[in-house]
Amino acid sequence: MNGITGTTKITGIIGYPLTYTLSPLMHNRAFNIRNLDYVYVPFVVEPKNLKNAVEGLRALNIKGVNVTMPHKEAVLSLLDGLSEQSKLIGAVNTINNEDGHLIGYNTDSTGFLNSLVEEGFDPADKTAVILGTGGAAKAVAVALAQAGAREIAVIGRSAEKAQAVKTSIAVANRYILVKTLTFQENLADIFKKGELIVNATPVGMKESGDLLLVPLKYINAAHFIYDLIYTPEETALIKAAREKGARAVNGLGMLVHQAAEAFKIWTGVSAPIDEMRQALIHGLKSGEQPGNV
Ligand code: NAP
């Protein structure tokens, strides 16, 4: 790639405040590696300007964007079409401009699953516990449902929100046994039975200190723990799990794989996943503060 020309296709990310994002590093590196005439730029879009911004994507013939906080749900009604996955999850993290039609996708779900499989964990016929009931929890829940998990327990602060995740799971795969619980309940048996435990809450980021949503006494060596957080690299949950002999990974793999899926949607070309991961790791090490994607 020799720089931006009149034919360069523009992609990017819309979010607010979007102070920090590592996505430009990953995508611009990937475009270079694949020698594609594309560029990826951040667009700071305040919630009150979302509708105009989406119109702007059409008007400016932008090829596609990632969508991050706080627009992932609000953007749904502004698009011309939605993938099955984004309908199930009720959130869009990628828009593709298909001949003037803006189609919404959710690559968080596939990104999580691809990362899990890359880590050697096949969720088929397994029992999973999901902590959290927000957008990421729903993406994880749908991924696990589609991959044929046997049983999923959803634990949240709000019973209503946990119920909404259950509904998404049921639509994705009606054969799965789903339990919804709150953190106030006795969770000993749920954690004991869970083979995979996914933290889809922000608990574990610096601000939450050493707070553990899974009591230490409930973690054992047979667990596989997936913490969606990727900074700090080792959260309190990951540290505790490793001390108990369990396998534990952070959310870096999901971040890379959701980006790789978006790259494929925009370009039709497979993503250079290893190079994207290296760009991300380099960005994290050189002190770039991460945002949501
Ligand atoms: P979200 O929609 O705001 O949902 C956050 C969830 O966490 C909600 O269920 C919330 O409960 C719960 N929660 C917040 N603080 C809590 C606490 N102190 N105790 C128990 N539950 C708490 O956010 P999201 O988009 O789902 O993201 C969740 C996490 O996943 C974030 O850390 C985000 O950075 C990470 N993430 C990572 C990736 C990746 O690629 N690795 C992708 C997406 C998200 P209430 O509803 O009761 O507030």
Side-chain angles (χ1 to χ4, degrees), residues 11-24:
T11 64
I13 179 165
I14 58 172
Y16 187 79
L18 201 64
T19 328
Y20 310 109
T21 171
L22 293 164
S23 292

Side-chain angles (χ1 to χ4, degrees), residues 69 72 108 132-137 157-158 161 183 200-203 205 211 213 228-230 251-252 254-255 258 292:
M69 305 267 273
K72 283 184 172 185
D108 280 337
T133 55
R157 293 196 287 200
S158 134
K161 287 186 183 172
F183 288 105
T201 79
V203 177
M205 296 181 86
L211 180 65
L213 289 178
L228 298 201
I229 293 169
Y230 50 88
L252 195 123
M254 176 175 173
L255 188 64
Q258 64 76 28
N292 288 291

Side-chain angles (χ1 to χ4, degrees), residues 224-235:
F224 185 100
I225 308 256
Y226 197 116
D227 197 333
L228 298 201
I229 293 169
Y230 50 88
T231 176
E233 200 179 326
E234 188 178 62
T235 61

